[in-house]
Amino acid sequence: MGEITDFDALRRAMAENSERPEGPARNARAEQLLAEAERLNVPLAVIEALGHQLKVYNYSSEKDKMFVPFARLLRLWDERPEDFDEYETHSLHWVFKWMSAGMLDQPHVPLASVEKWLGEMEHRYRLAGHSERAVRAAEFSVAVHIGDLGRAGRAYAAWLAADRDRMADCHACELHGQGTWQVECGEDAEALRLWRPVLEGEYSCAHEPHTVLASSLAPLLRLGRTDEARAHHLRGFRLVRPMESMRGAYADHVEFCALTGNEARGLELLAERPAYFTDPGHPRSRLEFLAVVALLMDRLTVLGLGGQRVPGPAGRTWTAGELAGHARAEALELAARFDARNGTSYVGDRVRARMAQQPLVERLPLGVRAVRSHPAPVVAPPAPEAAAASGEAGLADLLADLLAEARRLSDTLRPHALEAWAAVARAAEGAELEPRDRAEIADHQAMERGPEGAPLFERAAALYAEAGDPGEALAARARGAYARALAGEADAAVTAVAALRDEVLALYAAEGTGVRQTAAVLMSRARILVRRLHEYGGDGDGGVGGDPAEALAEAGHAVREVLALVGGRAEGDVRLAARAAEARGMLAGLAALTGDAEQAAEGHRLAAAEYVAAGLPWFAVEHEVEAAGLAHGLGDPAGTERALRSALEHGGPYVEPAGRAQLHLQLAEVIGGRGGAGEAAEHALEAAHWADEAGESRTLGAWARHQLGGFLLREGRCAEAAEVLESALPDLTAETHGEGAVVQAQWWLGDCLSELGEHRAAAERRLRAAEIARHWPEQQDHATLAHLAAESLGDAGLLEDADRAYARAGELWRGLGNPYFLVRSLRARAWLALRGEGAADGARELMEEAVRECEHALATAEPAVRDRLTAELANTHRQFGDLLARSAGGAEDGEGDGDGDTAETFEAALARMDRAAELFGTLGAEGLHGRTGAELAAGRLEAGLGRPARAAARARGVLAACADPGVPDDTARSRRAEAEELLGALPDH
């Protein structure tokens, strides 16, 4: 930043400063530039510097500084209006609106002064011949702020009725204000209708759609349009984040987090902007920010997290409870100042209502990573009401109720039966119970211990025997044998359960026990034999001391024995129906071990169907997952999708969070594979949510976010995808997820950023991905990423870096034997060279090299690729012609300066266009689009060289070629329009 010595240098410096990020540094530079302007002794220089200073103040947190430069500008205008050029005259009147809003936002400015200024604005606009539209819009803002809704309605109508002129706000800003009024009137849907053109990109400006996206969040939530609200938050926060002046919109995003169960993300947002707590330059947006801080802190306090450390004003540490009190007090004090100035309670009433809001959604998954701020709710079994009586009788009644509930849950195989029995065990401590009661308690305690439950099963068996139920005693001992198998004692378990089988069958034959108990023993035997089979290897490839084929046959026989026993007896008995369904699933597993995937898949589907028919859908999930995996292996994506959908439907809330995440993620991959990116994104979003719930954010959650980002990108939702991918990348690691996932995520993020116009950031992502891929044996991805990075570097204006990246990509394409992209990298370098200073010769040399490389590839090409290479060569000649014309100063329109060098360059360009048209002509109908485009470019060059007849002949040739009904309508229409335009520009043609 050297000394400013002339007006042009001052203007360049102001333009550079305008491109800097909003904030105090940019403001300070504007102040320096005003001092430099004053030393130039040029009145317009001072006027422009004051205007620049006023603008950067307005777009910063120091809005209160606007009034001084504006007052000085107004004085200069009143004293010497002739010193203002047309642009500065327009700018002076334009910023009258900023002053009106600026005064309203400062509670120390009296309302009378605001009203007086509104009158001054109306007077000056009338003198300048401007419409009253902007004046009425300003009046509307004043009326709404003070709560005079009658006046606001009248001003709103007058605003819309007045003619739009140069002083009216842009369409985007006007629509934002109009929609805000509809929200004020309780018309959320109408507000969103008004905002649609801004949200869809039809209208935009420096602060739109930023503020519309933020303002739309609460209305969308109130209307239940949560998917749109999520998208607007991700897209909008990305726009707001780098802009210091948008504290009010930032507050809307914090509020959104507080109302959707995303308190943790809200805290992250607060941590990003510590200065927002205290910046005094714009009291109104500080009031809005503090109000939502209080709302968020109250939410944390309600969740039992009032003592949690949270980000807050600098200088001390804060808990949620402390910050809630501080933010509320500060917000109410500011609101009181506004209300005292306005003479109403309107601002304070609105602030209190905002701080008192209740969540609109329990939790809305966002896709971005955020640690849950409070524990996930636990789905607990319904507990019977505690006995109202006290003393031993009351405890006895309570225990009886608990026993009845536990038996109900276990008899009907409901989820949480074990938890219910655990409650019984706790309540029974020290109580006198019947042997049967104690047996059931011990039995279920043993089940909860899994492989370590064998001793408790033996105790339960003894108690069942004492209670006079020998069949249940045998069933408990059989369960104990299975526990031993789970503990690694499969052979001993097989021996033990064989004797138990014989005993129970004899007892059943003598009518000494029932089908349930007998089936329980037989099922335990089947489970043990299948378990042993897995220890042996199961597929005949080896084992731990037995013949796998014999073990397979024995296990199959045991499973069929269960089916033979319960067959025909299961109807109406949920436990027997479950035995039959489990046996079907076990047979499916045995079929899979033998390599019969189709039979295995069908068996698992049957098992799932039987569980569902029995009213036990949660047991079906395991088999539907197995069926999905088998269908995938069989190349049946439709079957895979059906099974996964069924698993999610039947699992409901009973599947653990990690399992739900896996199911959603698998379904996302299947649906995405058939092209359903939109629905796949929904499932990937759910997967990320449940992975976070499971505490697997860094592993499964990162993978889900990686997939979600890709699906969003495929849907063209680049801002959302960028937020999600940026959230995923810190957790994606080569060790956990593989280098391929890391590269893909960086690649996708680069694509997003490129679409969003963030070219430097896109280049950085693509270069990072290329650096990883450069070590891979296959270099296709490395070359592609280097090429894409070069494009981004060029778009970012980093010409030398872009040239080096294209050169590297070209070397890689050469090594891969890919002439198409080698030629394209050379052409790109040629265009970059032309953008540099004094580099026309270098640009031509690179384009000539591109032609040579393409000609060489064509000369040695196989017949199958000759047409494609011919088209590439034709395109190269066409671009060479464009480059030559542009290097002469007239581009392909032929508007040169007429000197000899220019004419010679145009002749060379014309020769390239003719060669391009000739090559495209050899491709027949496939080359028509390229040929007619080259002919039109040649025609414009002919016109520039003073050959109107030749130019007209080329244009008529294009018209004739595009009159063919076989040419697609859109192509024909475009070419005919260009040809007619060229003919119309030629004299006497």
Side-chain angles (χ1 to χ4, degrees), residues 833-846:
L834 190 64
R835 288 167 63 184
E837 295 182 6
D841 290 342
R844 294 178 194 185
E845 290 171 8
L846 285 162

Side-chain angles (χ1 to χ4, degrees), residues 516-600:
R516 277 194 178 189
Q517 291 77 11
T518 307
V521 174
L522 296 184
M523 181 54 79
S524 290
R525 177 171 177 262
R527 290 171 177 169
I528 290 167
L529 290 170
V530 171
R531 177 74 183 180
R532 183 183 66 170
L533 181 64
H534 284 287
E535 289 189 6
Y536 284 178
D539 53 5
D541 291 339
V544 291
D547 181 352
E550 183 180 326
L552 179 63
E554 189 176 5
H557 176 77
V559 175
R560 291 184 183 90
E561 189 175 39
V562 175
L563 284 171
L565 176 67
V566 301
R569 298 181 176 88
E571 188 174 351
D573 189 325
V574 69
R575 295 182 74 87
L576 292 182
R579 297 293 186 206
E582 183 180 356
R584 298 277 184 211
M586 293 169 81
L587 288 176
L590 295 176
L593 288 174
T594 64
D596 191 342
E598 290 186 6
Q599 183 181 341

